[in-house]
Amino acid sequence: MITFNNVSFRYEKEKPVLQDVSFHVAPGSKTGLIGANGAGKSTLLKLLCGLEQGSGEITVGGLAVTPDNLSAVRQKIGFVMQNSDQQMFMPTVYEDMLFAPLNYGISREDADRRINEVLQQLQITELKRRHNHRLSGGEKRMAAIGVILVNNPEVILMDEPTSALDPANRRMIIKTIRELPQTCLITSHDLDMILDTCERAILLHDGRVRAAGPAGEILRDRPLLEACHLELPLSLSGRY
Ligand SMILES: Nc1ncnc2c1ncn2[C@@H]1O[C@H](COP(=O)(O)OP(=O)(O)OP(=O)(O)O)[C@@H](O)[C@H]1O
Ligand SMILES: [Mg+2]
């Protein structure tokens, strides 16, 4: 469903951010993309939805991610961004949730039904009429996840979905992700969440794929994680 083939990218001439990155994500599977701060995780997700362009080949659902295909590619993808302020651009949560469905020609009635379903699923019905710029960080993150779920995209990218969330909302998002039928690529420093939600993991280090495989193996490999400036998930560290 997602393929990267020898993808390289740099923002500035002298400093490569991604080098020769290749991997694939199977349809309906969930993959955790992990790595230290600055490893290139958010950049990789931006390349995948065409917000940045590098060299090499990227495909989503069989479509090449190229400037010609961008609108078709973006219809397939829902992207929960690391900074929710960049994602929410309408005055209220409801208007943000309504924007894409109406754009894609869905009736107001059907869109409203779907919006109410998602608000209930995430238990954030009280946020519906709230102004985006008056939400707390965690409320905004929950609303941003809701906006993406309303569209029911084929592929869901989540950049740090649990950052800023309290324990109950974090649990809610973990449960929601586990129940999603879609292909998901999720970046996080919350390695316990990755372990709970993802069957596969990709570890980025110094702009390269250092390891890719079953999440349960990569996240148990203390020497590998430590070599990439990460630590074992808390639940596996024996510190409980
Ligand atoms: N717009 C930009 N211009 C120049 N450099 C950038 C830009 N955005 C990111 N970078 C640099 O690219 C590298 C990768 O950044 P990226 O945001 O992809 O990392 P990340 O793995 O998502 O990190 P984090 O865990 O902190 O979110 C970093 O060194 C960062 O400073
Ligand atoms: Mg990031």
Side-chain angles (χ1 to χ4, degrees), residues 41-42 82 159:
K41 305 178 298 296
S42 297
Q82 185 160 16
D159 200 349

Side-chain angles (χ1 to χ4, degrees), residues 37-38 40-43 82 159-160 187 189:
N37 288 134
K41 305 178 298 296
S42 297
T43 302
Q82 185 160 16
D159 200 349
E160 299 287 350
T187 85
H189 298 292

Side-chain angles (χ1 to χ4, degrees), residues 94-160:
Y94 173 66
E95 287 163 288
D96 246 311
M97 291 184 132
L98 199 56
F99 184 83
L102 291 190
N103 238 355
Y104 292 143
I106 291 170
S107 73
R108 178 75 176 241
E109 202 184 358
D110 287 347
D112 272 336
R113 194 175 312 119
R114 177 73 189 139
I115 289 169
N116 288 333
E117 262 172 34
V118 168
L119 289 166
Q120 272 168 24
Q121 180 188 0
L122 298 179
Q123 295 180 16
I124 53 169
T125 305
E126 72 284 0
L127 299 183
K128 183 171 177 179
R129 301 284 171 192
R130 296 279 305 278
H131 282 261
N132 285 324
H133 67 277
R134 292 190 194 147
L135 297 176
S136 75
E139 287 170 341
K140 204 175 285 179
R141 176 52 50 91
M142 291 297 285
I145 292 171
V147 168
I148 295 311
L149 296 185
V150 164
N151 300 331
N152 221 358
E154 274 179 65
V155 174
I156 296 183
L157 312 178
M158 293 190 174
D159 200 349
E160 299 287 350

